Amino acid sequence: MADIDERANEGPKPRGLKRRDFLGGAAVVGAALALERHGQAQPTPAASPRVRATEGPASGDTDDRYRPVVTPNGSSLPFRWVDGVKVMHLRAGAVSHEFTEGLRAECWGYNGSTPGPTIEAVEGDRLRIYVTNGLGEPTTVHWHGILLEAGMDGVGGLTQRPIRPGETFRYEFTVREPGTFMYHPHWDEMTQMAMGMMGMFVVHPRRATGFVPDRDFAIILSEWSVPIGAARPNPLEMADFNVLTMNSKAFPGTDPLVAKQGDKVRIRFGNLSGIDNHPIHLHGYSFRIAGSDGGAFPRSAQQPHTTVLVPTGSTRWVEFEANAPGDWAMHCHMTHHVMNQMGHGVPNMVGVAGQATFDRRIGRLVPGYMPMGREGMADMGEMDMPQPPNSIPMRGGPGAFGNIDMGGMFTILKVRESLDSYDDPGWYDHPDGTRARPATAAELRADGIEV
Amino acid sequence: MRCEHLLMVALFAVGCVTPEAATRGVGRWSVARSGIEAERRAPSEMDELHPAVAERLREPLDADGAVSIALRQSPELQAQLAKVDIAVAELWSARPPNPEVELEALMNDGQASAIEMGAGIDIGALLRMPLRRRAAQAQLDAAELSAAADVLRYAYDTRVAFHRHQADLQLVELYRTAMETFIAAWEAAESMAEAGNLRQLDVAQNRAAYERSRVDVAQAELKALMSREELQVLLGLDGRQTEWRPIEGFAAPEADPPEVEALERVAVEHSLVLGAQEQTLLAWSRQVGVERMRGAIPEAHAGLFAEREDGEWSFGPAAGLAIPVFDQNQGGIGRTRAQLRIAQHELTQKAIRIRSLARRARASWLNAAERVRFYDETLMPARAAVLQETLLQYNAMNVGVFQLLQARRAVIDTARERVEAMFDLWRARAQVELVVAGGEPPAMGGPDVSGEAMGTGGDDGGH
Ligand SMILES: [Cu+2]
């Protein structure tokens, strides 16, 4: 049924043939589709976009062959058509980046942001990507998962010499396969990726059939070490990461994913964390894991899941129909990955008496001292005590029912019966009788519950 | 002439500078410029507390108070003052020689058949007397100036002992506060172990650190007790007056030391030690005159002679003179001249020394003041900032109570170092004041009240 399915059924075949296939065909872009280009602000699902079977136009800076992905907290990379080649420009450089309100750090990224803008193309497109190095050290760009000529693979020392500071390199290749890929440096990776240099690379199918998403999200997962009170990620950290991000944002800085009931939703995850895999769990839905950076999974092999494990250095995309309205949490299920700047070397105080003798003694020795973490640590987000500047230790965000004591890789899928736009619709208004609430004495009595 | 100058500086009995007044053994003594007043008291009075001292002891004691008590109540100081009496006694030996009377009778059958009477006086001694008297006067002046220097030094020792005790009390407080941090860490470890969160090893480590801190406190307390007894002796207070307590706190003095040229000049001008040495020099030079005269007129007597023979008295003058042919008292002259030379060299040496001591005292003051300023303006705020930032990190649950307490201990350690710098400052300041008043401070590194010898305590607690 879908283009993906067809490919899956075709089995292995020389990939170079595909481009020749579509070069022969021709397609017209519907007028309606042109209006749909800015899909983010257009809640009405359009008809399946048909794919232009030629190379790009000779000029212009638009591409109406696909519904653009939504990169929460981010954007897509602008481009220009030059004689049928899609020309883009990445500028590596320093970025002052806010992870969420209260934590800003000097990071590195592309075109002024981390992650860099999402690259979007259509299967078969010829891309020419200029990379200008605005860093103080050399860099390269590796097109992770893209099948291309070896010399375009962007591995410093192996396939090219690194791009010196101030230099601009030209990469040019044809994207042969649709799918979800990434780009990142392949020179001093440890530093450059820890500093935020990465981006998603989406190749839309030439012919969109089958599951054609109304909402197509791209989220790159990464992890950082920003010492509490410091203002620059520490690339030397190997294990103890304290800022876990989706598109370089930690909750509550993550933009919600908004969908209308009935929308077909695809969420593409990439993971370029230093050492961690992230099991991303979506509440309220069962989804299919539809592919990885290796390509689409055969429809027959797609299993239903609620959690998708995204290993570092790979991508996954999941698909589902937004049929359950509500505010649904979507987060990494590693509990330390949904904390903001938690310290990991502190003694455990859980279960220690709240106002012990030593608390009074320390209170005399250190004015301003407060006992902490005795009953648990959730109250941390709401305690009003002085914190180190530029830090978000243990902080959560506001929710419909008080503080959401989560941070890091946490975001919210907001599905509504009706929407005027895909802007944040606010908190979900639960229908009567569909929300947990305190039990009344009468109810407890009636059901024979003793407390 | 310096001598006139020194007279003003000299120790004197109020209203009267004659040695006779001094011999009375009582009266108030003051050292010009120093504001120091000693009071000579009879040994029999010393058993009772001087009324002014009793008054002082009712209030918390400051350094000036301690000095004023010592000057009235210290038997050691009284003994020093009484030494002036020895010089006064020397002056008595320079009175005119006593006349000599001779009587000779020739006895015959119980009857004096002939009587000879002679009365004479040692003319040589009489002639030497004014010179000897002037030499003795110079000796007395020297003794008085030395006594004044001793009073100043005693006041200085008392002042320094007071500041040492003040410093030691501060250290006791700081060690106690440090111990509090160790108790808190131990208690925290206990509570956490009870909750199941810590190993007994952690509890044991924290307990050991606490027990170690108790030793520090005990040693500091002993040291404070010792410095208190030191002061108690200098104050001259016996076992009935041990209840006094020093004022709270230990603030830095406001003043700056004088410029080095001015200080050296004043130190030399005012130096009682140099004054005393000059008087000694003068005494020896006068003694040379005495010995010269003894050489010129070694023996001379003059008097009256009366003789009774056959019931008839006859009178006549008598005189005797040794002719200095062989002995012109070269030995006595040579000896005193050598003493004079020695005294001259000593004067130069003492002038060099007092200038050096003045420079050292000033340098110590500047150095200690700079250190105190550094502690106050830089290091203590830096430590406080570490504690404050650690508290923020604690609030951020990025560090635990043990690290918080460790940061608190670092503040205490620095405060302890600051106390030593403060003591150095007060001691150096007292030295400069002593030099300006004309006294002579101990050479630094010499047998002076030493600084804190204890270690900085264990930092082996906590995590
Ligand atoms: Cu994770």
Side-chain angles (χ1 to χ4, degrees), chain A residues 221 223 244 271 273 276-280 331-338 409:
Chain A
L221 308 170
E223 57 194 8
L244 282 292
N271 182 4
S273 298
D276 281 302
N277 308 323
H278 300 290
I280 305 294
H331 59 92
C332 178
H333 219 290
M334 292 199 180
T335 54
H336 279 229
H337 293 183
V338 284
M409 280 181 188

Side-chain angles (χ1 to χ4, degrees), chain A residues 228 343 346-352 357-358 361-362 364-367 369-372 377 380 385-388 393, chain B residues 177 180-181 183-184 187-188 191-192 195 197 387 389 391-402 404-405 408:
Chain A
I228 293 173
V346 294
N348 179 11
M349 303 303 281
V350 175
V352 174
T357 318
F358 75 86
R361 208 183 291 278
I362 299 176
R364 287 194 299 272
L365 289 162
V366 184
Y369 164 85
M370 275 196 248
M372 294 211 307
M377 299 180 199
M380 277 297 305
M385 59 171 79
Q387 294 292 335
Chain B
T177 311
E180 279 287 302
T181 69
I183 298 174
E187 287 172 346
S191 301
M192 289 158 74
N197 301 351
L387 177 60
E389 292 297 329
L391 181 61
L392 289 181
Q393 293 286 333
Y394 167 83
N395 288 347
M397 287 193 83
N398 200 36
V399 306
V401 285
F402 298 112
L404 182 63
L405 289 167
R408 180 70 180 88

